[in-house]
Amino acid sequence: MRLTTSLAAMTLALSGLLAAPARAEDAASSFRFEFSPNFEACAGDSSLANALANGITLGISPSPPYTSLDPATGKAAGLDVEIVEAALDWLGVKKITYEVAPFSSLTPSLLSKRIDMVAANIHVTPDRLKVISFTGPGWWYGPAITVQSGNPAGIHSFDDLKKHKVGAIAGSAADEYLRSMAVEVVPFQTDSDQFLSLAQGRVDVILEDDVKVATYIAENKGTGIEMVSGVQIPEDLIFTYGYGYARYGVRQEDCMLRTAMSQALAEVRGNGKVSAVLHKYGLTGRNLFFFPVSN
């Protein structure tokens, strides 16, 4: 089965990111759980016990709407911040601190134990599996081929990318997949740099998250970029190179923390909290689970 994505339809669906209508499930006064944390009988490493006793340090990148840090207040915000904090609250982790770094620096920070978890959503890819592990799924989104308005380069498929220099965030799933295709990649450290470079014609195309692109377009009217519609998404991009579920990164040896966070994420999806967060950021319940998007 092939996955067919109309990214134009996705743009319309996401165009109301900043003014999503209130939903009944979002208006609930509280979110209740059917089950409570129960890991006491597990024999394993100390990663969960350390987080419960001493708190946890989360690594994020400056990447709205997923993760960001207000320099004035020091408060972390964003879709993934809210989901991870809800999961940690269910677990009983009370102290949370944040380290902010470019996305490409988050995995090295995890391995050096500067942070305890990559809380900027991160996809399963072959290279990452060699060095880190992943929680269960948090939510779902897909990739977008993004070009200058009017698509002057005439890019309509993933095969067309082989003819161009393609921008991508360094160390991202898009970066890894493009290199597997032998595409010449122009790496960027920040979202703003790659979007500006595309708008100014320094690159013809970028491969990015559809949610991130739609947010940027909604917040920067007349920015001169658009997502290409009617693109057929290669299956290996989803199932091998990880452009599927948004997850969170942990060290391979931190089995207890990974197991606990995986259940916590399932619980906050199951009780409606993740759905409410998705709606808050202009998404819908379909972003809870894998779905093939079509016209």
Side-chain angles (χ1 to χ4, degrees), residues 248-263:
Y248 308 100
V250 295
R251 287 182 286 272
Q252 291 178 340
E253 64 268 26
D254 289 349
C255 179
M256 287 297 298
L257 181 60
R258 181 185 74 240
T259 300
M261 272 299 296
S262 296
Q263 182 176 350

Side-chain angles (χ1 to χ4, degrees), residues 16 33 36 43 49 80 86 92 100 109 128 142 147 157 172-173 195 199-200 216 249 252 263:
F33 295 101
S36 298
D80 287 296
V100 183
S109 294
R128 290 173 184 161
V147 297
S157 69
S172 66
F195 288 134
Q200 294 179 342
Y216 183 83
Q252 291 178 340
Q263 182 176 350

Side-chain angles (χ1 to χ4, degrees), residues 131-213:
V131 292
I132 67 171
S133 189
F134 298 84
T135 68
W139 58 291
W140 169 269
Y141 62 88
I145 291 177
T146 306
V147 297
Q148 288 182 305
S149 296
N151 197 2
I155 298 169
H156 299 286
S157 69
F158 275 80
D159 281 342
D160 288 341
L161 298 180
K162 298 175 183 178
K163 309 168 189 174
H164 300 269
K165 294 180 179 179
V166 183
I169 292 296
S172 66
D175 183 7
E176 188 172 334
Y177 179 71
L178 290 167
R179 294 182 191 280
S180 78
M181 293 174 61
V183 170
E184 185 176 357
V185 178
V186 179
F188 293 97
Q189 293 297 324
T190 68
D191 298 339
S192 58
D193 283 347
Q194 69 168 343
F195 288 134
L196 183 61
S197 293
L198 176 61
Q200 294 179 342
R202 285 182 276 158
V203 292
D204 294 330
V205 56
I206 62 174
L207 182 60
E208 248 304 351
D209 308 344
D210 51 20
V211 174
K212 192 188 296 184
V213 176

Side-chain angles (χ1 to χ4, degrees), residues 6-7 18 61 63 82-83 106 138 161 194 223 245 289:
S6 172
L7 294 174
L18 302 181
S61 58
S63 185
E82 293 192 33
I83 290 174
L106 293 177
L161 298 180
Q194 69 168 343
T223 191
Y245 277 115
F289 299 100

Side-chain angles (χ1 to χ4, degrees), residues 12-288:
L12 291 174
L14 298 177
S15 61
L17 277 168
L18 302 181
R23 306 297 182 106
E25 63 266 38
D26 301 352
S29 59
S30 63
F31 294 94
R32 301 178 64 184
F33 295 101
E34 294 181 345
F35 194 70
S36 298
N38 182 24
F39 303 103
E40 291 84 356
C42 298
D45 62 271
S46 62
S47 55
L48 176 60
N50 287 339
L52 291 169
N54 305 313
I56 192 168
T57 300
L58 304 178
I60 61 174
S61 58
S63 185
Y66 304 147
T67 51
S68 61
L69 194 72
D70 186 330
T73 65
K75 173 64 178 173
L79 192 161
D80 287 296
V81 167
E82 293 192 33
I83 290 174
V84 171
E85 287 187 352
L88 290 171
D89 183 64
W90 180 83
L91 280 175
V93 176
K94 302 303 183 184
K95 181 182 178 182
I96 301 173
T97 56
Y98 287 90
E99 289 280 344
V100 183
F103 187 83
S104 60
S105 298
L106 293 177
T107 293
S109 294
L110 181 67
L111 295 175
S112 66
K113 299 190 177 181
R114 182 171 181 176
I115 62 174
D116 301 308
M117 183 188 306
V118 176
N121 74 68
I122 188 168
H123 300 292
V124 177
T125 70
D127 283 352
R128 290 173 184 161
L129 282 171
K130 297 173 184 176
V131 292
I132 67 171
S133 189
F134 298 84
T135 68
W139 58 291
W140 169 269
Y141 62 88
I145 291 177
T146 306
V147 297
Q148 288 182 305
S149 296
N151 197 2
I155 298 169
H156 299 286
S157 69
F158 275 80
D159 281 342
D160 288 341
L161 298 180
K162 298 175 183 178
K163 309 168 189 174
H164 300 269
K165 294 180 179 179
V166 183
I169 292 296
S172 66
D175 183 7
E176 188 172 334
Y177 179 71
L178 290 167
R179 294 182 191 280
S180 78
M181 293 174 61
V183 170
E184 185 176 357
V185 178
V186 179
F188 293 97
Q189 293 297 324
T190 68
D191 298 339
S192 58
D193 283 347
Q194 69 168 343
F195 288 134
L196 183 61
S197 293
L198 176 61
Q200 294 179 342
R202 285 182 276 158
V203 292
D204 294 330
V205 56
I206 62 174
L207 182 60
E208 248 304 351
D209 308 344
D210 51 20
V211 174
K212 192 188 296 184
V213 176
T215 300
Y216 183 83
I217 292 172
E219 294 180 349
N220 298 272
K221 302 297 185 183
T223 191
I225 67 173
E226 64 182 39
M227 292 187 279
V228 179
S229 63
V231 175
Q232 190 173 55
I233 307 299
E235 286 189 347
D236 59 343
L237 177 54
I238 301 296
F239 296 110
T240 300
Y241 284 90
Y243 228 115
Y245 277 115
R247 300 170 185 263
Y248 308 100
V250 295
R251 287 182 286 272
Q252 291 178 340
E253 64 268 26
D254 289 349
C255 179
M256 287 297 298
L257 181 60
R258 181 185 74 240
T259 300
M261 272 299 296
S262 296
Q263 182 176 350
L265 289 167
E267 296 293 338
V268 295
R269 289 168 80 192
N271 84 331
K273 176 63 176 179
V274 173
S275 179
V277 172
L278 292 172
H279 284 134
K280 175 180 176 179
Y281 286 88
L283 305 179
T284 70
R286 74 175 185 171
N287 293 95
L288 286 169

